[in-house]
Amino acid sequence: MDQVIWVEILSRHRDVAARLRFTGAQVRIGRGYDNDVVIDDPYVATRHMRVSRDETGRLVAEDLGSANGMFLDRDKSRHQRIVIDGERPIRIGHTWLRIRDASHAVEGERTAAPAARIMSIGLTVALGAVILAIEALSAWFIEVGEPRISHYLLPLLYVAAAIVGWVTVWTLLVRVLSGRARFERNLLIVLTGVIVFLLYNALAQYAAFALTWRTLASYDYVAMWGILAAVCFFHLREIGASRLKLKGAVMVALLALAISVQTLMQTEAFQDLGRQSTLRRLMPPTLRLVPVRDESTFFAAIEQLKASLDRDRSEVGSNTTGR
């Protein structure tokens, strides 16, 4: 009795798209309808390859003279004959195949962990609560008039709507490209990114107000683009774990481009409008650590500035008269 041969057709992310069972002495694979496995790939030959057993019982794949050849895993060299190990896939045309026999060992059964899902839900709720708390606290800091519910409710609704919209788009992309939605994991990625940016922004504003240290606030756009690139990378990883270096390189390139463009725009704005304001939010005076200058120090600085301007005007006037 012939031994069983399993042929698996893989997706671009190495997931099994189809699994076929054969009990004959050989399996013929190609685009023609006289094959055992018909591949709908224009780069696959009519009769592309054959799978059979050698004299020792090992599975062997043979190229039947195709134009585009047969490749093992990501090896770029063509193979006329491949001894199949059941792990590394074979590529013909643009199609990935994995071939195994019935005795191939599989991974052990995974233990279901309902507690992990409960923990994931709890973590999601906790991160969402932290975001809402940070936004509510920020609204309270900038409240200068009579408190109104709309001043707190609208920012929270805007943040929630933005998060839901972002997660929905990525969930659909992951579902289409990988076959699994992974809504919870995409939501955790977004919530983590939002919290990191909110904490950075709060620290930058506090440093600008309390310590008169404007560096973090001046370059908050660098942090924003960096966090956004990291979030997108982790979304792409949910689509598939393959080619992570390429995905990371693309994100780094886009990050560098975004930062360069915004830096150029801010430089031009500085040349046209002068120094930009980095203190976007007033905070309670008790949070200020750098002492406020007294009235005499302030007016002394004004007199020094006036004297400097008068000196510059006189130099310009003397140069004009000399000409």
Side-chain angles (χ1 to χ4, degrees), residues 50 68 139 150 160 165 217 220 222 230 253 260 275 297 308 312:
R50 177 177 60 232
N68 291 321
S150 60
D220 59 352
V222 177
S260 300
R275 183 177 180 84
T297 302
S308 176
D312 292 340

Side-chain angles (χ1 to χ4, degrees), residues 218-241:
S218 299
Y219 295 98
D220 59 352
Y221 67 93
V222 177
M224 179 193 70
W225 285 117
I227 294 170
L228 183 61
V231 167
C232 291
F233 172 78
F234 284 110
H235 282 311
L236 292 174
R237 195 178 67 168
E238 292 301 317
I239 293 177

Side-chain angles (χ1 to χ4, degrees), residues 174-232:
V174 174
R175 178 67 178 84
V176 170
L177 297 177
S178 70
R180 289 172 289 182
R182 297 178 178 176
F183 176 81
E184 292 181 4
R185 299 186 66 170
N186 284 298
L187 180 59
L188 283 175
I189 291 172
V190 174
L191 293 179
T192 303
V194 172
I195 286 180
V196 171
F197 178 73
L198 290 178
L199 292 177
Y200 176 90
N201 187 61
L203 176 63
Q205 294 302 316
Y206 176 78
F209 179 83
L211 304 172
T212 318
W213 186 36
R214 301 182 177 89
T215 303
L216 292 178
S218 299
Y219 295 98
D220 59 352
Y221 67 93
V222 177
M224 179 193 70
W225 285 117
I227 294 170
L228 183 61
V231 167
C232 291

